[in-house]
C-alpha cells in the first residue's frame, strides 16, 4: 500500500514558479512509476508529466520546456518544478503511483493517488 501526500501548491502570478512535492509512504518507492495530473472543475483529469520507475520522463506538450519532473528515491519523493506559469495552468494537481510504471499518461493505469494540491496562477 502506498500513500501519497502532495504539497507546495499556492497562488502565483503569471510568469512565476512553484515546486510541488509528493511524498510517498510505504516500501519500494524506487519500483513505482510516478505521475502528475491536473484537473479543473467540469473537466477530465489531464496528464501533465510522469517519470518511470527507472527514471525516464514524459511530458504533455502543453508543459514541455516549462515543467520538470524529478524523483529522489532516498526521500521517497517526486517533485514537479513549474516555471513560466500561465493562468491556464490553474488546477488541482494530483500525484499518482503505479508499480513498475513506465511513465504512462493514462490515469486509469495508476493505482494510488494523493489528495491534490491547488495551484492558482493569476494574470
Amino acid at each position: 500500500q502506498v500513500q501519497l501526500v502532495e504539497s507546495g501548491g499556492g497562488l502565483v502570478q503569471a510568469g512565476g514558479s512553484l515546486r510541488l512535492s509528493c511524498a510517498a509512504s510505504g516500501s519500494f518507492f524506487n519500483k513505482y512509476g510516478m505521475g502528475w495530473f491536473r484537473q479543473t472543475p467540469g473537466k477530465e483529469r489531464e496528464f501533465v508529466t510522469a517519470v518511470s520507475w527507472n527514471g525516464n520522463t514524459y511530458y504533455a506538450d502543453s508543459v514541455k520546456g516549462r515543467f520538470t519532473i524529478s524523483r529522489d528515491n532516498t526521500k521517497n519523493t517526486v517533485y514537479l518544478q513549474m516555471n513560466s506559469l500561465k493562468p491556464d495552468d490553474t488546477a488541482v494537481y494530483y500525484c499518482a503511483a503505479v508499480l513498475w510504471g513506465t511513465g504512462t499518461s493514462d490515469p486509469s493505469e495508476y493505482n494510488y493517488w494523493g489528495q491534490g494540491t491547488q495551484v492558482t496562477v493569476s494574470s
Side-chain angles (χ1 to χ4, degrees), residues 67-78:
F67 290 10
T68 303
I69 189 171
S70 61
R71 65 187 301 159
D72 185 341
N73 290 338
T74 67
K75 296 182 179 179
N76 281 17
T77 301
V78 64

Side-chain angles (χ1 to χ4, degrees), residues 30-97:
N30 60 330
K31 293 178 170 56
Y32 283 83
M34 304 297 296
W36 285 98
F37 294 79
R38 63 189 182 187
Q39 190 169 24
T40 54
K43 292 191 175 181
E44 298 280 322
R45 196 161 290 189
E46 174 191 23
F47 171 74
V48 177
T49 181
V51 56
S52 68
W53 69 273
N54 57 348
N56 296 318
T57 57
Y58 305 87
Y59 295 92
D61 287 344
S62 59
V63 306
K64 274 181 186 174
R66 300 189 298 122
F67 290 10
T68 303
I69 189 171
S70 61
R71 65 187 301 159
D72 185 341
N73 290 338
T74 67
K75 296 182 179 179
N76 281 17
T77 301
V78 64
Y79 302 98
L80 177 60
Q81 178 66 45
M82 303 186 295
N83 299 329
S84 302
L85 282 160
K86 305 174 182 179
D88 283 350
D89 296 317
T90 296
V92 177
Y93 283 71
Y94 296 91
C95 172

